Amino acid sequence: PVAALAAEKRAEYEGNYATIGDRIETERTAEKHLNQALQAGQLATARLETAATRAAWEQAQMNWQMAVNALRRIPRGTLAYEDAAPLLKDYQVKLVETRTRVNREKAGDRAYQAATAAAKAAQAAEQQNQWNRAVGAWRQAVDNSQQVPPDTSLYEQAQVLENAYTGALERAQIN
């Protein structure tokens, strides 16, 4: 007499078992993403503490991006999501700050490269006794070296170049 009820309950229990299995897998995946995000965040923090070049800042940016991406893959409703939500906001802020720094480093790098290129052009003009062209190139070299942002890794080197280029400009103007 209970065979029909047993078969019905068995089907219900098997469905529940499958649902629970899916939920466990979702929780495991969410936990895995949270751990990946935490590791990437720790690595990014460590890189920020020692970043002294554009490449180092770019590596830190990449780590923050990986951390943010991992946090975004955590589904709502999981236990890990509760831990991930505040981390996501924090990591996004750090990602934006790092991206801003990378952009400043890129701008500094471009200005520095333009300054050295202009200096080479000025030196070439001097060797050909084309002093007007040399003066213009030295001015460009000085201007570009002044465009390197103060809080970048190339700033101090740019200051040294600026002083040297200013002296070269004065000598070229005399000639």
Side-chain angles (χ1 to χ4, degrees), residues 123-170:
Q123 290 167 344
E126 285 180 352
Q127 289 174 353
Q128 298 170 358
N129 289 326
Q130 296 179 347
W131 296 106
N132 286 334
R133 200 175 98 206
V135 166
W138 283 122
R139 276 196 185 114
Q140 189 64 45
V142 170
D143 290 344
N144 287 329
S145 64
Q146 291 172 340
Q147 298 301 313
V148 176
D151 58 346
T152 60
S153 57
L154 291 174
Y155 179 72
E156 289 181 22
Q157 292 172 329
Q159 293 302 296
V160 171
L161 291 182
E162 181 184 348
N163 292 336
Y165 295 168
T166 300
L169 171 61
E170 291 170 0

Side-chain angles (χ1 to χ4, degrees), residues 6 18 23 31-32 45 47 64 67 76 108 113 142 148 150 161:
R23 176 62 187 220
E31 189 70 25
K32 181 181 108 183
T45 300
R47 290 197 176 181
W64 284 125
R76 288 184 186 269
Q113 296 304 323
V142 170
V148 176
L161 291 182

Side-chain angles (χ1 to χ4, degrees), residues 47-64 97-99 101-102 104-105 151-153:
R47 290 197 176 181
L48 287 180
E49 291 173 1
T50 60
T53 64
R54 174 180 159 186
W57 284 101
E58 287 173 337
Q59 281 290 319
Q61 177 186 354
M62 183 181 71
N63 290 126
W64 284 125
E97 290 170 353
T98 305
R99 186 177 293 138
R101 177 59 186 257
V102 166
R104 278 197 313 268
E105 289 288 336
D151 58 346
T152 60
S153 57

Side-chain angles (χ1 to χ4, degrees), residues 60-130:
Q61 177 186 354
M62 183 181 71
N63 290 126
W64 284 125
Q65 188 65 60
M66 287 171 37
V68 166
N69 291 345
L71 290 173
R72 286 181 177 157
R73 287 191 296 269
I74 298 173
R76 288 184 186 269
T78 59
L79 296 173
Y81 185 81
E82 294 175 19
D83 295 332
L87 279 177
L88 180 59
K89 289 179 184 177
D90 184 41
Y91 285 10
Q92 285 174 324
V93 168
K94 290 178 180 178
L95 173 60
V96 168
E97 290 170 353
T98 305
R99 186 177 293 138
T100 300
R101 177 59 186 257
V102 166
N103 288 338
R104 278 197 313 268
E105 289 288 336
K106 287 179 179 178
D109 190 40
R110 283 190 302 270
Y112 187 87
Q113 296 304 323
T116 58
K120 286 179 185 177
Q123 290 167 344
E126 285 180 352
Q127 289 174 353
Q128 298 170 358
N129 289 326
Q130 296 179 347

